[in-house]
Amino acid sequence: MKKPPFYKSVQFTIKGLMWILRNERNFQIEVFGLIINLLLIVIFGLNSFETCLILITSFVVLITETVNTCIEKICDYIQPEFDQRIGIIKDLAGGAVLLSVIVSICVGALIYWPYLKLFLY
């Protein structure tokens, strides 16, 4: 089978991202978090290093959510009925998302706290 041209691959990728954005509530919430972070970066005037850390952690959350959704969809396809082993796989994938969210919150708290102190006082 011949590989599609690059622009077609990009179209397929965008189609996948649009699907997850339309259909997955957690991904929508996490995109909202990214938008809030983008606004805070501008409002507080974060330096390049701080901005990179915030963007990296925000996108890691989106990436892990995307991988989690892929794992869940594959598991549902393979085993549509309840299966304890599939449940463990899904729980592990969800745990990866939770870990990335925890790291993201910690990084955000460490970076934003000095700016919030200045802003509040």
Side-chain angles (χ1 to χ4, degrees), residues 72-104:
E72 288 180 350
K73 296 299 175 194
I74 290 168
C75 287
D76 291 344
Y77 179 76
I78 292 170
Q79 180 55 274
E81 302 300 321
F82 176 78
D83 184 313
Q84 186 176 358
R85 295 169 298 180
I86 296 292
I88 291 169
I89 293 167
K90 288 180 170 186
D91 292 346
L92 289 169
V97 176
L98 180 60
L99 290 173
S100 69
V101 168
I102 290 169
V103 166
S104 184

Side-chain angles (χ1 to χ4, degrees), residues 1 8 10 12 17 31-33 40 43-44 47 57 59 66 76 79 88 92 99 102 104 106 114 117-118 120:
M1 185 166 135
K8 281 285 191 191
V10 172
F12 296 144
L17 290 174
V31 167
F32 181 70
L40 290 174
I43 290 168
F44 292 140
N47 65 42
T57 56
F59 277 96
T66 303
D76 291 344
Q79 180 55 274
I88 291 169
L92 289 169
L99 290 173
I102 290 169
S104 184
C106 291
K117 282 188 354 186
L118 289 173
L120 295 174

Side-chain angles (χ1 to χ4, degrees), residues 7 13 19 30 41 56 69 74 83 87 89 96 107:
Y7 76 93
T13 302
W19 183 92
E30 292 154 358
I41 287 167
I56 288 169
T69 300
I74 290 168
D83 184 313
I89 293 167
V107 168

Side-chain angles (χ1 to χ4, degrees), residues 30-63 100-116:
E30 292 154 358
V31 167
F32 181 70
L34 172 63
I35 293 167
I36 296 297
N37 275 301
L38 293 173
L39 290 173
L40 290 174
I41 287 167
V42 172
I43 290 168
F44 292 140
L46 269 57
N47 65 42
S48 297
F49 182 72
E50 294 168 329
T51 299
C52 283
L53 286 176
I54 293 293
L55 291 177
I56 288 169
T57 56
S58 295
F59 277 96
V60 165
V61 170
L62 294 174
I63 291 164
S100 69
V101 168
I102 290 169
V103 166
S104 184
I105 289 170
C106 291
V107 168
L110 289 169
I111 290 174
Y112 290 133
W113 181 247
Y115 294 96
L116 287 171

